[in-house]
Amino acid sequence: MKGKKLVSLMTVSLLSIAVAACSGGGKPAADPKPGDANAPKTAKMHDISFLNFAYTIFPDPNGKGVEAIKQKFNANIKAQFVLQSDYKEKLNVIMASGDMPDVVAVKDLDSNYYKWAKQGAFLPLDDYIDKYATFKGVPKTIYDQFRVNGKIYSIPMYAPTYTFSGTIRQDWLDNLGLKMPTNYKELLDVAIAFTKNDPDKNGKNDTYGFALGQDISPTHAMGAYWSPAWYHKDKDSNYIPGLIGPGRKEVIETLAAAYKEGAVTKDFAVLNWAQTNKEFYSGKAGIFIGTPTGMVEEYYTGLLKVNPTAKVAPIPFFKAPDGSQGNPKARGFFGLTTLSAKLKDDPDKINKILEILDYGRQFIPVAERTPQNQQFDWIMGGNGIGYDMVDGKPAPKAGQEANTPIQYMLQRHEFWKPWSPNDEANQYSIASYSTKEMQSFIATIEQMEKTYNKTPYDDPSYLVYSETQASKGTELDKYLLGEQTKMISGQRPIADWDKVTEEWKGRGGSQLMKEINDGIKAVKK
């Protein structure tokens, strides 16, 4: 699956279903527990300017949530929210003017971030990390992704490290007496059986194996070995992108063999992501993808309406030839919070900003997200004001965002995303979905991740910024995806794999590989 589409799908889903999210603000909470780095340390009122990107929610800069923060922290938040599609242009203008607000959210880890950090626009935060629990709890592998000249200039906004894994119609396997596939040969045999052996037992020839869309989405990678991650190395021990690796070749060979048997979406090359989802959730295809967070619940419940006996199960990660078994990790953050370097001579204000930031990031277990938890109730705006308890879970009240302090607490405001100690602690199956059927399905994916993600993989390319990746990465990926699409549909022989790789290198791939590998070596020195 193309990263851009994945981000789009997950963003829409998260915005629509996240429960511990968009709202907070109302009555003040009790004082923090002793030792918490979140209580005001001075009586001085600090004015804090804050610029952030937003997707759908643009709370009033003078809302009651701002007043609640003022009373609790002696800080006056002057927030400005900009539509995410316009944010990059707006931020460029502001940074060029030299008038950076006290706190700025950076949406993308791009050339501008590195340029501004090198120019000294951001305040180095290394000396503050260990002073606040939610900063200290960020894994080094995440901080390393956005260090500049060895220094940390931002605090990441939380995102899970889960990525997509395979799913399959378990009821179809049962109907045909087949076992869960454990390798690509078995997966191919199952896909063909789903196409030819009437797995739904309706007497019609109306099913097939792999649901697939344009740009070979999803990737149908059953682990990091087969994924687009920079996992494999060439004969010179240089990392290569997964799209030209041996694992990817096995995936393309499998899909090409399945396509010949009618076991892949016939017109996959022109299907968008929504149409690809429909192929699976309408009951046509039997092999697709899933993940604990960001799934569209209506898709799954729609399948159950079409076929009440349908059962979808996660496919355990395959064991790779090198013995690994697990998925590549996602980056683990979505956006960054930076502080202006102009604050360096105002330590009280710096600490005030970090206190507020840390307080809004503190993790509250799912079971404790109730009106009885004063910290949660305050952040979310108060029961009946910023949120309601619905079926035992907090549900943000649309249109009440201005009453909720979390909207203004200097980080991700559109849905509450505390810094989780680990992905499992989020309990997405309970917290993010409404129906028992969906909760049960997601719980099986969470359990599969816990059991079979034995060697989760940190993609080393995340540690490096590449100019070629920024300027030509999309074009280079498009070329490979186009040629591999031809291979799946039989328009180009898979025997041309090495030839396509050389063509890719000649288009800029060699320079990309050099930049990534030079960067990895520099980071690891």
Side-chain angles (χ1 to χ4, degrees):
M1 171 183 295
K2 286 290 286 179
K4 186 175 182 181
K5 292 186 177 67
L6 282 174
V7 171
S8 176
L9 170 65
M10 293 185 69
T11 299
V12 171
S13 302
L14 283 168
L15 289 174
S16 62
I17 64 178
V19 287
C22 297
S23 308
K27 46 195 174 186
D31 290 336
K33 296 178 181 179
D36 283 354
N38 51 40
K41 291 188 170 49
T42 69
K44 178 182 177 181
M45 180 66 68
H46 291 278
D47 288 331
I48 299 171
S49 54
F50 172 44
L51 180 69
N52 197 5
F53 60 90
Y55 287 87
T56 59
I57 298 171
F58 302 84
D60 183 346
N62 301 307
K64 292 182 179 179
V66 173
E67 183 61 31
I69 294 171
K70 184 182 297 185
Q71 293 177 10
K72 186 176 183 64
F73 289 98
N74 289 322
N76 182 29
I77 306 297
K78 299 181 177 180
Q80 180 180 5
F81 302 102
V82 179
L83 181 65
Q84 62 86 22
S85 58
D86 300 330
Y87 191 70
K88 184 174 183 178
E89 181 179 356
K90 174 75 171 179
L91 186 56
N92 284 341
V93 172
I94 289 175
M95 297 302 288
S97 73
D99 192 23
M100 176 182 171
D102 296 322
V103 183
V104 166
V106 175
K107 178 172 170 282
D108 300 309
L109 190 59
D110 58 12
S111 59
N112 281 331
Y113 173 81
Y114 291 93
K115 177 182 69 176
W116 295 329
K118 290 177 181 178
Q119 290 176 345
F122 303 144
L123 181 75
L125 299 173
D126 303 72
D127 294 340
Y128 299 94
I129 300 302
D130 288 342
K131 296 180 180 180
Y132 299 89
T134 70
F135 304 168
K136 189 176 181 179
V138 176
K140 180 178 180 295
T141 53
I142 292 180
Y143 277 130
D144 286 347
Q145 294 179 47
F146 45 82
R147 289 182 189 270
V148 180
N149 295 330
K151 291 186 177 295
I152 298 172
Y153 289 96
S154 55
I155 301 298
M157 306 180 200
Y158 178 79
T161 60
Y162 288 129
T163 51
F164 284 94
S165 56
T167 59
I168 196 165
R169 286 290 296 271
Q170 180 67 56
D171 55 318
W172 289 8
L173 288 174
D174 295 343
N175 287 343
L176 298 178
L178 299 172
K179 295 181 179 180
M180 180 70 71
T182 62
N183 56 52
Y184 276 94
K185 182 183 182 305
E186 293 176 359
L187 186 64
L188 174 61
D189 290 342
V190 165
I192 293 172
F194 282 178
T195 307
K196 299 180 179 295
N197 298 344
D198 190 21
D200 59 358
K201 299 300 181 183
N202 68 353
K204 300 178 182 178
N205 183 23
D206 58 357
T207 59
Y208 66 92
F210 295 99
L212 193 66
Q214 62 189 7
D215 295 330
I216 314 179
S217 179
T219 63
H220 288 295
M222 300 300 167
Y225 182 93
W226 298 274
S227 76
W230 291 65
Y231 182 95
H232 299 278
K233 295 182 179 180
D234 62 16
K235 59 182 177 58
D236 298 317
S237 297
N238 290 312
Y239 285 98
I240 63 175
L243 287 181
I244 62 171
R248 175 70 169 192
K249 184 179 181 182
E250 184 176 8
V251 173
I252 300 303
E253 289 173 335
T254 300
L255 292 173
Y259 189 86
K260 289 180 180 179
E261 301 291 340
V264 173
T265 309
K266 184 177 181 181
D267 51 351
F268 76 92
V270 296
L271 257 61
N272 62 32
W273 183 237
Q275 292 168 325
T276 307
N277 273 272
K278 187 176 180 180
E279 289 295 303
F280 182 77
Y281 290 109
S282 66
K284 296 179 183 178
I287 303 168
F288 198 44
I289 56 167
T291 187
T293 176
M295 298 285 283
V296 180
E297 188 161 5
E298 290 76 12
Y299 285 174
Y300 186 73
T301 55
L303 171 64
L304 297 181
K305 289 179 181 179
V306 174
N307 186 348
T309 62
K311 183 179 180 181
V312 181
I315 303 174
F317 298 117
F318 293 169
K319 183 173 288 188
D322 62 5
S324 66
Q325 186 177 24
N327 239 10
K329 296 179 186 177
R331 284 188 176 270
F333 67 93
F334 176 68
L336 303 166
T337 295
T338 62
L339 275 64
S340 172
K342 294 178 181 178
L343 295 169
K344 68 182 187 315
D345 296 325
D346 193 348
D348 286 345
K349 190 171 184 178
I350 292 171
N351 283 313
K352 182 63 61 179
I353 290 170
L354 298 181
E355 288 165 9
I356 294 170
L357 187 59
D358 177 67
Y359 191 78
R361 291 160 52 90
Q362 290 176 17
F363 186 80
I364 298 172
V366 172
E368 298 177 21
R369 297 173 188 176
T370 68
Q372 288 69 46
N373 185 299
Q374 292 182 326
Q375 181 175 357
F376 177 77
D377 191 61
W378 182 84
I379 283 175
M380 296 290 284
N383 185 27
I385 302 172
Y387 72 99
D388 290 319
M389 294 299 291
V390 180
D391 296 328
K393 296 190 297 185
K397 295 185 70 170
Q400 297 302 312
E401 293 84 11
N403 290 323
T404 61
I406 195 60
Q407 303 289 337
Y408 309 95
M409 297 186 76
L410 310 180
Q411 203 156 74
R412 237 169 134 178
H413 75 289
E414 294 200 70
F415 37 96
W416 181 55
K417 279 290 178 183
W419 192 268
S420 176
N422 53 61
D423 288 341
E424 293 176 20
N426 292 293
Q427 295 183 276
Y428 289 112
S429 56
I430 297 173
S432 297
Y433 302 97
S434 301
T435 64
K436 291 182 179 179
E437 293 81 5
M438 188 69 173
Q439 290 174 349
S440 177
F441 170 45
I442 297 301
T444 64
I445 301 178
E446 290 175 326
Q447 185 59 46
M448 189 280 291
E449 288 274 354
K450 183 177 180 180
T451 304
Y452 293 99
N453 200 357
K454 297 178 180 179
T455 55
Y457 182 67
D458 289 301
D459 189 334
S461 71
Y462 289 169
L463 304 175
V464 180
Y465 174 75
S466 161
E467 289 287 352
T468 299
Q469 179 69 52
S471 62
K472 300 186 67 175
T474 300
E475 175 187 334
L476 289 169
D477 285 352
K478 184 177 181 180
Y479 172 73
L480 287 176
L481 293 171
E483 298 309 303
Q484 291 172 10
T485 293
K486 294 176 185 177
M487 291 177 179
I488 293 172
S489 59
Q491 299 174 46
R492 184 164 189 173
I494 296 178
D496 279 357
W497 187 268
D498 292 340
K499 184 178 180 181
V500 168
T501 298
E502 291 304 312
E503 291 170 355
W504 174 83
K505 289 181 178 180
R507 290 168 174 259
S510 290
Q511 180 62 26
L512 171 59
M513 286 178 54
K514 181 180 186 306
E515 292 174 9
I516 294 294
N517 280 280
D518 286 350
I520 292 172
K521 292 172 185 175
V523 169
K524 291 185 175 181
K525 282 184 179 179

